[in-house]
Amino acid sequence: MFFVDMIEVAGLGNRSYLAGGERTAVAVDPPRDVDRVLEAAARRRVRISHVVETHIHNDYVTGGLGLARLTGAAYLVPADATVSFERIPVHDGDRTAIDAGLALRALATPGHTPHHTAYVLEEHATVVAVFTGGSLLIGTVGRPDLVEPRLSESLARAQHASARRLAAELPDAAAVLPTHGFGSFCSAGQAEGDETTIGKEKASNEALTQEVDTFVTRILAGHDDIPAYYAHMGPANSAGPSPVDLTAPAVADAEEIAARLAAGEWVVDLRNRIAFAEGHVAGTYNFEADGQLATYLAWLIPWGKPVTLLAESAEQLAYAQRELVRVGIDRPAAAANGGPYAWTSEGAALATFRRADFADLAGRHPAEDVVVLDVRRVSERAAGFIEGSVHIPLHTLHRRLDELPPGEVWVHCGGGMRAAIAASLLDVAGRDVVAVDDSFAAADTAGLTLRTA
C-alpha cells in the first residue's frame, strides 16, 4: 500500500507532499524548513530516497536541495530549469521507481513556468494521483505571468494546453495534489475545498471549461500585483539555497531596540493587533505572527534591511523565524520577548492608536477632517468600495504616504489584519490614525455608501 502525506505551509498558501510505500518515499516541493518533512518520514518509518521539484519556485525558498543533501536522496529537477548545482534532470516521460510497485512518471506541463513538470504517482502501473505543482490547481491554474511579462501570453496558452493534457491522459479518479492554490499569490484564483480529482476538475476548472482565447484573456486580465520578494526567490532557488539556521537570535534590550530604531532599521512587533494598538514601542511596525507574516513583511520591507523581532514569547519568536526563512529572511538582527514595557527605556511613554469598526466610521464619514484609506488590492476594490475613500494598496503604502490628504486617517482592508499593518506604518509616519478592525461586509450594513466604479 502507498501513502501520501500533505505538509501544509499555510502562511504562504502552499502544500508539500511526502509519498511512498513500506520502505522509501519521495518528497515533492518541500519547504525550506525540512525538519517537518523529516519528521513525517520518521513517523512513517521510511527513508526519503528522492526529492522532486515541479518547478523553480517564485514564491518561496525551496528546501529541496538541503533535504537531498541531508538524506542522500536523488534530487530531480526539470531538465530545462537553469540551476547552479548538481541534480538529476527530468524529461517528459521519465519514470522513477520510488518503492516496490510505486513509481513517478514525469509529465511536461509548461505554463506556470516554461519548464514546469507534473509527476504522476503510479501503483503497479495504475495512476492514483498527480502532483501538479503550479499547473492544474483546484478550480484554477497557476499564474503564467511571474516569469517574464513578455512571456505571459504564450505561457497562458501553454498552461491551458497543459491542464488539458493532464485531463486527457489521466483517469477521472486520480487525485490532483497541487502545491499552490490555498492562498498563494502563485495561483490565478483561490481554491474552494481542500481536495479534488481529475474528474471534478473536468467539470469545474476554468482551463478545462473555457476555450483557449477566452481563458487567456480572462486569466491575464485578472491578476493582482506580484509580491516584491518574488524577484528574489527564483534566483535563490536557481543558485541553491543555503542551509536553514533556526537558532534563537541575539537578545536586544531596550537600549539596543532604541538604537536600531534610530538607525532606521525595521523593528517588528509580532503581537496581535489589539495588543499593539493599546501600547507599543514608538517607531515599531505591527505584523501579526499568525497573519501571513512572511508574505506581507517580505513584500514591504526593503530587501536585505536588518529586522529586529519583538515577540510575546519564545514560541512566537520561533514560529516567526520559521515563517521568514521560507521567504529568504534568514536571520533577525536581534530579538526580544516579553512586552512593550520591557522594550522601552524606563519612564518612556508607549505609543497607541485607536481601533474602530465600520459602524464607528459611518458616524464620522463624510467629514472634511476624515480620510478613509482603503488598503485592499485592486481586485478587491473592484467589487465595491466606500464612496470618497482613497485607494492605496498596502504593499505600495510605504512609498505613497505623501499622497494622503491631511486629516484623521481611518484605514480599512477586508478583515482588519492589513489595516493594522497600515495603521502602524501611518503611526510611524506621524499621522493621526484609526484602524478599522472589521469585515468589509459590514460596511454596507453600517450605512456607508458603496460604489463599484
Side-chain angles (χ1 to χ4, degrees):
M1 289 291 293
F2 74 94
F3 70 86
V4 177
D5 289 342
M6 182 268 291
I7 299 164
E8 190 163 12
V9 189
L12 295 176
N14 288 328
R15 289 178 175 178
S16 298
Y17 302 92
L18 182 73
E22 292 186 357
R23 297 177 179 276
T24 50
V26 58
V28 182
D29 289 344
R32 197 176 181 201
D33 48 325
V34 299
D35 56 327
R36 299 178 65 204
V37 185
L38 293 170
E39 289 166 4
R43 286 193 298 270
R44 290 286 186 176
R45 298 183 179 181
V46 295
R47 177 176 62 87
I48 298 174
S49 58
H50 295 79
V51 178
V52 303
E53 304 281 9
T54 57
H55 60 295
I56 299 299
H57 303 284
N58 298 296
D59 63 327
Y60 68 92
V61 181
T62 182
L65 181 61
L67 182 60
R69 287 176 172 171
L70 279 172
T71 61
Y75 189 31
L76 280 60
V77 178
D80 290 340
T82 302
V83 296
S84 302
F85 48 82
E86 290 188 11
R87 89 291 192 204
I88 298 174
V90 177
H91 300 86
D92 185 46
D94 285 356
R95 182 176 269 97
T96 302
I98 301 301
D99 198 86
L102 198 66
L104 282 184
R105 176 163 54 91
L107 283 182
T109 48
H112 185 50
T113 65
H115 60 267
H116 191 284
T117 299
Y119 297 91
V120 179
L121 184 64
E122 299 175 341
E123 185 184 37
H124 300 300
T126 298
V127 174
V128 292
V130 56
F131 299 102
T132 56
S135 54
L136 189 68
L137 311 183
I138 300 179
T140 186
V141 294
R143 289 174 63 166
D145 64 323
L146 302 179
V147 176
E148 158 62 56
R150 291 172 294 184
L151 297 178
S152 295
E153 181 175 350
S154 62
L155 286 176
R157 292 183 180 277
Q159 188 71 298
H160 186 269
S162 292
R164 295 197 167 217
R165 180 188 185 189
L166 291 168
E169 296 187 15
L170 303 180
D172 285 356
V176 174
L177 303 174
T179 300
H180 304 313
F182 309 95
S184 169
F185 280 86
C186 275
S187 174
Q190 294 310 315
E192 293 186 7
D194 290 331
E195 57 185 40
T196 191
T197 63
I198 289 292
K200 290 178 181 178
E201 292 308 302
K202 284 181 178 179
S204 61
N205 194 291
E206 56 196 348
L208 303 177
T209 59
Q210 298 172 359
E211 56 87 22
V212 63
D213 289 334
T214 300
F215 169 82
V216 169
T217 299
R218 193 213 60 78
I219 201 170
L220 294 181
H223 289 148
D224 280 317
D225 288 346
I226 300 170
Y229 70 91
Y230 276 28
H232 306 280
M233 300 298 95
N237 289 327
S238 294
S242 58
V244 168
D245 179 2
L246 290 175
T247 58
V251 177
D253 58 17
E255 183 178 347
E256 182 177 350
I257 291 169
R260 290 187 177 280
L261 286 167
E265 296 183 12
W266 276 42
V267 179
V268 171
D269 189 326
L270 299 167
R271 296 175 301 146
N272 72 71
R273 56 187 181 263
I274 298 173
F276 183 86
E278 290 175 347
H280 55 272
V281 179
T284 58
Y285 301 117
N286 182 216
F287 290 79
E288 292 179 313
D290 58 356
Q292 290 187 280
L293 167 68
T295 294
Y296 285 102
L297 179 56
W299 199 339
L300 269 68
I301 192 171
W303 196 253
K305 197 174 188 67
V307 60
T308 294
L309 300 178
L310 307 180
E312 61 186 6
S313 66
E315 292 75 18
Q316 186 179 66
L317 175 60
Y319 176 85
Q321 281 186 260
R322 184 177 290 271
E323 288 281 301
L324 294 177
V325 297
R326 294 170 179 162
V327 293
I329 300 178
D330 282 9
R331 294 292 297 164
N337 298 327
Y341 290 104
W343 304 330
T344 55
S345 301
E346 187 174 352
L350 298 181
T352 65
F353 54 75
R354 288 177 294 155
R355 295 170 54 253
D357 57 23
F358 281 110
D360 297 321
L361 176 57
R364 290 281 288 129
H365 175 71
E368 287 188 5
D369 61 341
V370 170
V371 179
V372 179
L373 173 62
D374 181 351
V375 296
R376 297 175 302 158
R377 297 187 297 276
V378 172
S379 60
E380 295 173 280
R381 186 171 170 89
F385 59 89
I386 298 171
E387 184 176 54
S389 60
V390 176
H391 182 225
I392 303 178
L394 173 61
H395 60 276
T396 68
L397 180 60
H398 56 304
R399 303 191 303 268
R400 300 172 59 188
L401 291 170
D402 58 352
E403 297 180 26
L404 275 174
E408 181 182 72
V409 182
W410 289 61
V411 57
H412 79 84
C413 60
M417 182 268 293
R418 287 172 292 170
I421 296 173
S424 71
L425 295 174
L426 293 163
D427 183 51
V428 170
R431 296 300 299 263
D432 186 9
V433 62
V434 181
V436 179
D437 193 356
D438 202 357
S439 168
F440 187 72
D444 186 27
T445 56
L448 291 159
T449 302
L450 303 185
R451 295 281 183 260
T452 56

